[in-house]
Amino acid sequence: MASTTLYSQRDPMLKKRDDFEDILEERRNSSDLKYAVRCYAPVLYKGLTPCKANMLKSMVLQSDHLRYVINQVSQESGEAPDIIHEEASVILEEMAHRLKISTVRFFAFTLTKAFKTLFQHICVNEEGIHRLQQAIQEHPVVLLPSHRSYMDFLLMSYILYTYDLALPVIAAGMDFMGMKFIGEMLRMSGAFFIRRSFGGDKLYWAVFSEYVKTMLRNGFAPIEFFLEGTRSRTCKSLTPKIGLLNIVMEPFFKGEVFDVHLVPISISYERILEESLYARELLGVPKPKESTSGLLKARRILSENYGSIHVYFGQPVSIRSLAQDKVNRCKYNLVPRHIPRKPTKETQSFVTDTAYRIVRLQEDSMVLKPWVLMASILLQNLEGLELSLLTEQTLWLRGLAQSCGAFLDWPDHTPSAKVVSSSLALHRGLVCVSGGRVSLVLGEPQGLVTPEEALFNRAVSVLSCASYRNQILHVFIRPAILAVAIHNAASSKKDEVFNCFSFLCKMFSDEFILCPGDTVQDFEEACYLLVKSGSVQTLQQNIVVTDRGQSTLSFLNGLLESFLQGYQVVCQYFCEEACDSLTEKQYIPAVRSFAVKLILAGNLRCYEVLSSDMQKNALAALLRLGAVSKVKVADQVTLKVNKLAVNSLEDTLGGRLPTQKAVLARL
Amino acid sequence: RSTYDCYGIITAAFSAFHSQMKQSATVHCFPRQEIMKWNGWGYSDSKFLFNKKGQAEFTGKRYRLSGMILPSLQDWFENTFGASVKQHKSPPSLNAGALPPANLNEAFLQDLTATGIPFSHEADDRVFRAHGHCLHEIFALREGRGFQRVPDMVTWPNCHNDVVKIVELACKHNVCVIPYGGGTSVTGALECPPEEMRCIVSLDTSQMNRILWIDEKNLVARIEAGIIGQDLERLLNEGGYCTGHEPDSMEFSSLGGWVATRASGMKKNVYGNIEDLVVHIKVVTPRGVMEKSCQGPRMSTGPDVHHFILGSEGTLGVVTEVTMKIRPIPEYRKYGSVVFPNFEAGVACLREVAKQRCAPASIRLMDNEQFQFGHALKPQVSSIFTSFVEGLKKFYITKFKGFDPHQLCVATLLFEGDRERVLQHEKQVYDIAAKFGGLAAGEDNGQRGYILTFVIAYLRDLGLDYYVVAESFETSVPWDRVLDLCRNVKERIIRECKERGVQFQPLTSCRVTQTYDAGACVYFYFAFNYRGLADPVHTYEQVEHAARDEILANGGSLSHHHGVGKLRKEWMKESISDVGLGMLRSVKEYVDPDNIFGNRNLL
C-alpha cells in the first residue's frame, strides 16, 4: 500500500514516475468559452451526504462540539450563550466558502486566457489524476499541494475542473480578504478564509475545526490546504504546520470515517511570478498588501514568459495504514467525541511525522529544470564563469543529481549547449552573458547609488538565484550535510562523523525538511548515496573520501556554505552586538544591519544571511537548542542570550570545535 | 405434544439425553450424539440442503421451516457468495483412530468408580465434548482433522454432591476438570489446552437437569445448572411460569453455561439478562462450595461475589444450582416489524425507543443485507393470493414510498404482556417509528426475523457444504458510535478479505440486537466463499481478528454476551487494564491454586 512506498528505501534512480500531459495544448486548439460552459459532472464520494454550502453552516452551528464550546466560553466569560452563538455565526460567515459553479466557470474562462499567455505548458501527470479520481470515490480526500505562489490554488481548482474532478474547498489565509472583489470571487470558487493567528481563541478554533471536519465527514468536497502554512519565499519547502493536519485526521481517529486519504501534490514552476517580489520581501522591503489594484498592476507580468508548470499528483496516502500500530484509537473511547481535547503525545508525534513525510513526498516529485542546476553552480561562482565551463559543470551536476534521485526535466535530443543557452535566455533578468562569461546581473545601475543600495541590488540577484538553487536542495541535503560532517569531524570514524551529522541536522531542522527522529535513517541514506556515487568508501567504521569524490564533496560543501556562514553570522551577532533588552521585533533589522556592516567592511561575502528567512530559522534553531530564550517583559518579548552556548555553537558550525556529545546533551 | 412452543418457530420438544436413565457405570450411557450432529450444529435430522432440483429445503420436523421448500435461497446463496450449488463438499465420518489415546489417571479412575458416578472414555463421547461451535472447531471436524487435545474422559454427575466428590478427587489426584454444559460456546472455551499434560476430565452437567422447587410467593425457582434452556422453559410452562431468558442458543445451551458466560436473552428488556435473573448461585470450587447465606433480592456486602462466578467461563469451578426469578407466562404475545428507508433512520428510532424506555420485549434492527437474507428464507407460497399480496406490499414500500430496496432495513419487534397493554405499547412504538420514517410492515416479517436467528447456525453448515465459511460475532457500544462502528467494521472486513486474497466479495451484515439506556448490542454476520484459498480458516481468523481490533478502536466492547474464552484472551489486558486483570488472577489463584479448572479461558 501507500505506506510501503513511504518507508521503503529504494535506489532513487529506480523511482518510477508518471508521464506528463500538457493541458494547455488542448486549450490552445479549442474554444475557451465552450470549455468554460461544458458539462461538469465529477464523481463524488460514495458516502456523500448531499448538502448545500448553506446547510453546512447550520450543521456546524448546531453541532454538539460547537454547542459544547459555546457553553464553555459562555461560562468562562459570563456572556449569554446566545451572544456567543451569534459570535460563532459571525466567525463562520467570515470563514465559509460559497462554492458556485458559475464562478468556477468564470475562472475557467479567464484563467485559460491568462495561462495561455503566461505559460508555455501546464503539465499534469494523468495517472495521478486517475488515482485521485478513485480515491475521491472511496474516501474523504485531503489535497496537500506545495506552496510557492498565489497561483497555486487557482491552478489546482483549474486542473481539477479540467479533469472533471470534484472541486476542492481550500483553506486560505485571511489576507486575501483584503482584496474585496477577488476575495469574494475566491470564496465562490471554494476558498474559505482563516485568520493567520487565533492561538488562544477557543471559539474561533472550534468553529474552524468543526467546519473543516463537517465537510470531511460528509464528503462534501476534497479539502485542500498547504502544509507549509504560507508560500515559501525561498522555494525551499517550509517545515510543515500540523494544526490543520491534526483536524483532518481527527475524524479518522474518532472512527467517524473509515479512512482519510492524503494526496501530496508537487507544483513546480519554471519561473515563479513572484520571483523578485520574494527577494525584496526577504530583504525587508515590505511585501505589497494584497489588493485588487495591486493585482491589476501586476498585469505587467502578463507580458513575460514564465516557462512551464509541472503539477504532479502523488500517490494517495492512507492515514489508516500510516496510523496502524502507531496510534491507539481506543484512547478516544473514554470521552464523548464532541468534547475537544488536546492530542496526546503519541498522536502529536504521529501527525508531525506524517506531515514531514508528506512534504518529503512533495519534494521528491518536484520537477527540476536545467536552470536549477546552473543556478547552483553560479552561486558557487559569484564572480562568474566561462559559458563552456558552466555547461560542462551543469552536465556533471546533472549526473550527480540523477543518481541522487532528482526528478529532472532535461529536454531529450537537444544539444546541451542549447539547453544551457535557452535557460539563460528565459532567466535573462537574473544572469547576463558577456564575452563568453556568465555572471549574475547586479541590478539596475541607474545613476548614483549608495554602497548600501548597490549591496541590496546585488543581494536581490543572489537571493533570486538562490531561490532556484533551493529547489534542488532536497535532493542533496542529506549527502551535503554528510559532506560537511566529514569535513568538520575530527576524524573519519563513522560515529564521530555521525555525531557531527546529527548536530548539523539539529541545527538545520528549521531550514531543511529533516524529520525529527529520522537522523539515523537520514545518515544511512546519505552514506548510501555517496557510496553509490563513488564519492566515499566505508572501511571498517571509517568514512573515507575517494579521489574522484573530492569534487562532489566540495560541491556539496559549497551548497551548504552560505547556510553555515549565515548561521555563524547570527551567532556572532548575538555574542558581539545583542544587548540585553533586544526584543523579538528588533531582531531581524538588527541582524540585517549587522550583516550589512560586515559585508561593507569586506569581512563577509555571504549575501544570503541578509534573508529574513534564514535569520528567522537561525533564531528558531538557537531557541530550540536553548542558547537563546524568550523572556516576556511587560507586553514585549525579549531575547535572552546564553553567550557561552551561542559561542560554542558558532565554533562547532565553523568546524573549529569538535562536536561533543556532552555539548549537545547540555544544549 | 409439547406445550412449549418457541413462538411457533421450534415445534418439537427436546428431551432425549436428559431422560431419567438409570445410572450405571457402563460406557455410552448418555449419548447426545445420537440425536445431535457430531460435526455441525443442532439435531441430526434437521439440516438445510439443496435437493436434486437445486431447490433448498430444510429437513426434519422440529421447526416451522422443517419440510419446506425455500425457493429463493439458491439464488440468494449463489449471488451473494459467487458459490454454486453444483460444487458440493460432503464431510467425512468420524475417524476414531485419529484420536489421541486417552491419558487416564488410574488412581482418580479408581476413586471415581468407587463413588458410582458414571463416566466414559469412548472416542465419540470425548470428541463430542472437545469443542464448541467456533468456525475453526467445526471446520476441523468436517475436514476430518480433529483436535490436538481432547478430554481423556467424560463424567456425568447427577447432583451437587456428585460434583463436590468429583472436584475433591480431581484435587486429590491433580486432574484437570473442564465443565461442559450445552456445548454451544463460540469462543473456543471448550477446547482443551494442547499443553495440558494431566488427565482432562470433561464434567458433563446434563444429568443435573431438575427443577428442585418453585417458590410462588417470591416468584423464584431453584434449578440444577445442567438444565437446557428449552427444557427449563417447557417444565416451567407446565406450571404456568417462564424465566423469559431466551438466548438464541436456548435450544441447546444450559443454565450453568449462561451463568459462566454472562448470557443475554432476546427478551432481556422485560426479564433482564442472566445477572438480573439470578438470585442465588451454588458453585463447587477446589477451595470448597461458595454460596450466599440468604436469597435477599439485593445486598450491600462488598463486591457481589456472584460476579466472580458470572462470566468466570469454567475457570473457578462448577455452578451446580441456581435460584432464578420466574414470571407468569404472559397472556398475550405479538410480533411486529417496521421498515425504515435506511439503517441510519432505524438506529435513530431504536435510540429514541431506548431513551423513552419503551422497548418491547425484543427489538432488533436488521441491516439491508440481513433483510435480504431473511427474505431468501421465505418458504414457497402456496396460494396465488398470498404472493399477490406480497407483491402489493413490495410495490407500496419501494415504489409508492420510494424506499430503495438496497437501502431499506427492518426492525423486528416482539411484544409481551396483557393484551391491552401490548396493543397500547405497540402503538407507542409505531408512533415513534413513524417519526423516523418507519412504516409498519406486519407480523410475518417480524417473525421471519426471529426464525433467522434459530436457523442461522444450520445455515452455516449448508455454507460449509459449498465452500462458504461463516461466523458471527458481537459487541456492545455507546449509542453515538453505533453507526460508525457498523460501517467501519464492515468496511474493514471487506478490506481485509481483499488484502488476504479472498476471491469473492464477502457477506457482512449486522443488526442492532439489544438496546440499553446507554448503548446497544450489535451482532455481525460475516461469510465468504473460500475457493482458491490455501488455508481458509486461518484467513478467516485473521479477518475476524482485524474486525475485533476495529470494534475496539471504534469504542465497542470485547464481548457483549459470547464471552472471551480463548479466542479473545489477548485483548483482555487492554480491555480491563493490568490491575483489573490482576484482580481476576488473584481470585483464580486463591480459589484454584492448582489450576484444576484448567481450561485456560479468560486470563
Side-chain angles (χ1 to χ4, degrees), chain A residues 1 45-46 138-139 253-259 261 320 324 328-330 332-337, chain B residues 478 480-482 484-485 487-489 491-493 495-496 499 549-556 574:
Chain A
M1 290 209 69
Y45 172 50
K46 66 175 179 194
E138 289 293 310
H139 301 287
F253 294 145
K254 290 185 172 174
E256 293 162 341
V257 295
F258 182 76
D259 197 357
H261 277 191
R320 175 175 275 270
Q324 199 170 17
N328 180 2
R329 289 184 283 152
C330 293
Y332 293 85
N333 290 347
L334 297 179
V335 176
R337 293 180 290 178
Chain B
D480 70 311
R481 291 173 180 267
V482 169
D484 288 330
L485 181 133
R487 183 199 53 235
N488 289 348
V489 170
E491 177 120 26
R492 177 76 181 262
I493 290 173
R495 199 64 69 84
E496 294 284 334
E499 269 171 37
D549 275 339
E550 193 62 33
I551 285 175
L552 298 177
N554 282 275
E574 194 187 325

Side-chain angles (χ1 to χ4, degrees), chain A residues 9 52 57 60 63 301 359 454 464 512 519 525 586 667:
Chain A
Q9 205 181 357
K52 290 256 159 16
K57 286 188 206 164
V60 172
S63 67
I301 61 174
V359 173
S464 303
F512 310 115
T519 312
E525 193 181 321
Q586 293 163 338
L667 295 172

Side-chain angles (χ1 to χ4, degrees), chain A residues 38-316:
Chain A
R38 84 200 157 86
C39 164
Y40 166 73
V43 294
L44 301 168
Y45 172 50
K46 66 175 179 194
L48 176 77
T49 327
C51 69
K52 290 256 159 16
N54 269 334
M55 262 170 71
L56 268 179
K57 286 188 206 164
S58 59
M59 283 168 83
V60 172
L61 289 174
Q62 280 155 25
S63 67
D64 293 338
H65 173 203
L66 204 55
R67 285 216 304 253
Y68 177 85
V69 174
I70 285 173
N71 281 331
Q72 205 183 21
V73 172
S74 148
Q75 263 163 22
E76 283 166 12
S77 66
E79 292 272 16
D82 289 359
I83 296 174
I84 311 283
H85 187 274
E86 196 46 43
E87 253 176 68
S89 142
V90 170
I91 293 173
L92 188 58
E93 205 55 42
E94 175 194 87
M95 180 184 307
H97 69 81
R98 282 195 294 279
L99 186 59
K100 264 201 182 127
I101 186 68
S102 55
T103 318
V104 174
R105 291 188 194 282
F106 167 79
F107 270 117
F109 181 74
T110 48
L111 284 179
T112 307
K113 296 281 183 213
F115 286 160
K116 282 197 289 196
T117 45
L118 283 171
F119 304 108
Q120 286 165 356
H121 310 282
I122 296 178
C123 301
V124 177
N125 65 324
E126 291 197 340
E127 275 173 63
I129 294 283
H130 295 315
R131 288 192 296 253
L132 176 59
Q133 187 172 25
Q134 287 223 304
I136 286 177
Q137 285 178 67
E138 289 293 310
H139 301 287
V141 162
V142 179
L143 304 174
L144 299 169
S146 58
H147 202 11
R148 301 287 175 270
S149 166
Y150 279 141
M151 291 304 300
D152 291 330
F153 72 79
L154 289 175
L155 185 66
M156 280 293 301
S157 299
Y158 181 81
I159 292 170
L160 296 181
Y161 173 80
T162 303
Y163 284 103
D164 218 18
L165 287 172
L167 288 169
V169 289
I170 308 138
M174 202 57 130
D175 26 10
F176 277 107
M177 283 304 292
M179 304 187 275
K180 276 265 155 43
F181 175 69
I182 295 288
E184 285 313 305
M185 287 293 283
L186 293 178
R187 205 190 268 287
M188 287 191 282
S189 65
F192 62 95
F193 296 98
I194 39 180
R195 293 179 194 158
R196 277 268 172 242
S197 58
F198 47 89
D201 192 339
K202 246 186 220 172
L203 186 66
Y204 193 89
W205 179 258
V207 174
F208 166 56
S209 61
E210 189 55 36
Y211 183 60
V212 173
K213 284 190 278 188
T214 304
M215 290 191 288
L216 189 93
R217 283 190 292 248
N218 296 351
F220 178 85
I223 289 165
E224 177 180 319
F225 64 90
F226 300 104
L227 267 179
E228 296 164 275
T230 181
R231 290 172 299 153
S232 161
R233 269 69 168 172
T234 56
C235 279
K236 143 170 96 52
S237 298
L238 304 175
T239 51
K241 312 282 173 291
I242 66 165
L244 245 168
L245 194 60
N246 233 325
I247 292 177
V248 297
M249 284 190 177
E250 221 179 63
F252 165 72
F253 294 145
K254 290 185 172 174
E256 293 162 341
V257 295
F258 182 76
D259 197 357
V260 174
H261 277 191
L262 307 177
V263 184
I265 297 160
S266 319
I267 308 178
S268 352
Y269 295 89
E270 186 163 9
R271 250 188 92 189
I272 284 177
L273 298 172
E274 296 98 325
E275 181 180 89
S276 66
L277 221 58
Y278 283 159
R280 283 170 204 287
E281 204 185 313
L282 290 171
L283 289 168
V285 187
K287 77 166 174 176
K289 206 158 187 269
E290 280 84 355
S291 71
T292 307
S293 62
L295 193 82
L296 290 177
K297 269 181 220 141
R299 264 187 328 175
R300 189 173 60 90
I301 61 174
L302 281 177
S303 55
E304 293 225 18
N305 176 4
Y306 286 88
S308 49
I309 304 176
H310 284 82
V311 184
Y312 192 93
F313 288 82
Q315 183 82 40

Side-chain angles (χ1 to χ4, degrees), chain B residues 249-518:
Chain B
S249 61
M250 69 173 294
E251 292 174 84
F252 308 109
S253 57
S254 69
L255 170 57
W258 300 338
V259 170
T261 55
R262 295 181 63 87
S264 170
M266 171 176 106
K267 299 193 292 196
K268 71 98 193 150
N269 293 335
V270 174
Y271 300 94
N273 286 319
I274 193 70
E275 68 273 21
D276 311 309
L277 287 163
V278 161
V279 176
H280 187 271
I281 298 174
K282 187 142 102 179
V283 55
V284 180
T285 76
R287 278 273 171 197
V289 175
M290 186 197 78
E291 60 180 324
K292 290 185 186 173
S293 67
C294 70
Q295 310 208 55
R298 182 181 186 274
M299 300 185 202
S300 176
T301 47
D304 190 342
V305 289
H306 281 172
H307 282 283
F308 289 131
I309 305 306
L310 284 155
S312 58
E313 304 193 358
T315 58
L316 299 178
V318 187
V319 178
T320 53
E321 290 173 18
V322 175
T323 305
M324 209 178 166
K325 298 179 194 170
I326 56 170
R327 299 290 304 167
I329 295 176
E331 165 198 320
Y332 191 64
R333 170 186 290 151
K334 192 174 181 191
Y335 284 98
S337 67
V338 182
V339 185
F340 292 98
N342 54 46
F343 194 62
E344 289 77 4
V347 171
C349 172
L350 262 64
R351 203 282 159 267
E352 184 61 29
V353 167
K355 199 186 261 172
Q356 297 193 20
R357 292 203 171 163
C358 63
S362 168
I363 176 165
R364 289 175 168 181
L365 178 75
M366 303 189 289
D367 68 357
N368 185 265
E369 287 83 359
Q370 211 159 123
F371 166 72
Q372 297 195 17
F373 188 4
H375 258 252
L377 292 176
K378 259 192 178 173
Q380 204 156 30
V381 190
S382 42
S383 88
I384 299 173
F385 179 72
T386 345
S387 72
F388 174 73
V389 171
E390 289 290 317
L392 214 60
K393 269 194 218 153
K394 194 175 165 194
F395 177 81
Y396 176 73
I397 287 173
T398 59
K399 295 291 179 321
F400 190 73
K401 281 287 172 182
F403 284 18
D404 178 350
H406 298 288
Q407 289 285 316
L408 63 81
C409 69
V410 178
T412 58
L413 310 167
L414 172 61
F415 297 91
E416 275 191 9
D418 61 73
R419 191 157 184 282
E420 204 128 307
R421 277 230 215 108
V422 163
L423 296 180
Q424 217 179 341
H425 194 176
E426 197 186 15
K427 185 174 177 316
Q428 188 187 6
V429 172
Y430 283 122
D431 284 350
I432 294 173
K435 280 194 203 129
F436 294 91
L439 296 173
E443 290 186 56
D444 193 45
N445 271 320
Q447 196 165 3
R448 187 165 315 112
Y450 293 97
I451 292 182
L452 189 63
T453 53
F454 280 94
V455 299
I456 187 80
Y458 287 105
L459 278 163
R460 177 171 74 189
D461 290 339
L462 178 74
L464 286 169
D465 286 342
Y466 296 92
Y467 298 90
V468 172
V469 286
E471 186 70 284
S472 60
F473 51 90
E474 40 74 46
T475 187
S476 57
V477 60
W479 277 114
D480 70 311
R481 291 173 180 267
V482 169
L483 283 175
D484 288 330
L485 181 133
C486 292
R487 183 199 53 235
N488 289 348
V489 170
K490 285 182 183 183
E491 177 120 26
R492 177 76 181 262
I493 290 173
I494 292 170
R495 199 64 69 84
E496 294 284 334
C497 281
K498 206 186 224 170
E499 269 171 37
R500 302 187 189 286
V502 176
Q503 313 274 313
F504 301 85
Q505 180 82 5
L507 168 74
T508 61
S509 167
C510 66
R511 68 167 183 263
V512 178
T513 201
Q514 288 291 9
T515 64
Y516 291 89
D517 286 348

Side-chain angles (χ1 to χ4, degrees), chain A residues 292-575:
Chain A
T292 307
S293 62
L295 193 82
L296 290 177
K297 269 181 220 141
R299 264 187 328 175
R300 189 173 60 90
I301 61 174
L302 281 177
S303 55
E304 293 225 18
N305 176 4
Y306 286 88
S308 49
I309 304 176
H310 284 82
V311 184
Y312 192 93
F313 288 82
Q315 183 82 40
V317 176
S318 146
I319 294 186
R320 175 175 275 270
S321 35
L322 281 187
Q324 199 170 17
D325 305 326
K326 295 225 179 70
V327 177
N328 180 2
R329 289 184 283 152
C330 293
K331 278 186 316 219
Y332 293 85
N333 290 347
L334 297 179
V335 176
R337 293 180 290 178
H338 65 270
I339 297 180
R341 283 199 302 168
K342 277 224 165 69
T344 59
K345 258 205 173 129
E346 174 197 68
T347 312
Q348 196 84 30
S349 81
F350 169 72
V351 178
T352 309
D353 209 48
T354 307
Y356 271 90
R357 287 181 200 287
I358 297 287
V359 173
R360 275 200 74 182
L361 287 172
Q362 286 173 354
E363 287 185 331
D364 277 349
S365 297
M366 283 287 196
V367 173
L368 305 176
K369 288 288 184 178
W371 167 247
V372 169
L373 304 173
M374 293 159 64
S376 312
I377 294 161
L378 279 167
L379 275 179
Q380 294 192 24
N381 298 277
L382 279 181
E383 63 297 334
L385 76 171
E386 295 294 322
L387 179 58
S388 55
L389 187 61
L390 176 64
T391 312
E392 185 190 313
Q393 291 206 3
T394 305
L395 284 174
W396 169 82
L397 187 53
R398 180 177 81 155
L400 185 63
Q402 276 170 338
S403 81
C404 289
F407 193 2
L408 209 53
D409 182 35
W410 189 280
D412 297 325
H413 320 298
T414 315
S416 40
K418 183 125 188 282
V419 174
V420 170
S421 65
S422 64
S423 297
L424 289 172
L426 186 71
H427 296 279
R428 60 182 173 274
L430 283 179
V431 275
C432 58
V433 190
S434 64
R437 259 187 103 72
V438 185
S439 57
L440 288 188
V441 296
L442 300 176
E444 302 130 54
Q446 290 165 340
L448 281 170
V449 284
T450 62
E452 278 92 357
E453 277 168 343
L455 184 149
F456 269 92
N457 280 336
R458 193 160 168 78
V460 168
S461 313
V462 172
L463 288 190
S464 303
C465 196
S467 76
Y468 289 98
R469 175 213 54 201
N470 285 347
Q471 293 178 26
I472 204 167
L473 276 179
H474 68 267
V475 175
F476 292 129
I477 187 63
R478 287 163 189 80
I481 293 178
L482 181 58
V484 175
I486 293 172
H487 182 262
N488 282 4
S491 78
S492 60
K493 286 242 167 53
K494 193 168 181 176
D495 39 352
E496 229 161 308
V497 174
F498 175 75
N499 275 348
C500 202
F501 181 89
S502 148
F503 164 76
L504 289 166
C505 288
K506 278 208 181 81
M507 201 69 207
F508 286 128
S509 71
D510 294 277
E511 195 72 51
F512 310 115
I513 302 303
L514 297 164
C515 184
D518 272 4
T519 312
V520 174
Q521 209 178 314
D522 286 338
F523 182 72
E524 260 150 32
E525 193 181 321
C527 288
Y528 170 77
L529 289 172
L530 284 188
V531 168
K532 194 182 61 132
S533 70
S535 312
V536 301
Q537 282 179 315
T538 46
L539 301 164
Q540 300 153 347
Q541 297 308 309
N542 280 288
I543 299 181
V544 187
V545 183
T546 61
D547 284 345
R548 71 194 183 103
Q550 295 295 349
S551 53
T552 307
L553 273 274
S554 107
F555 168 78
L556 291 175
N557 264 304
L559 207 55
L560 289 190
E561 182 57 32
S562 52
F563 296 96
L564 291 163
Q565 271 195 25
Y567 276 50
Q568 287 178 69
V569 169
V570 171
C571 291
Q572 202 183 337
Y573 162 76
F574 275 118
C575 290

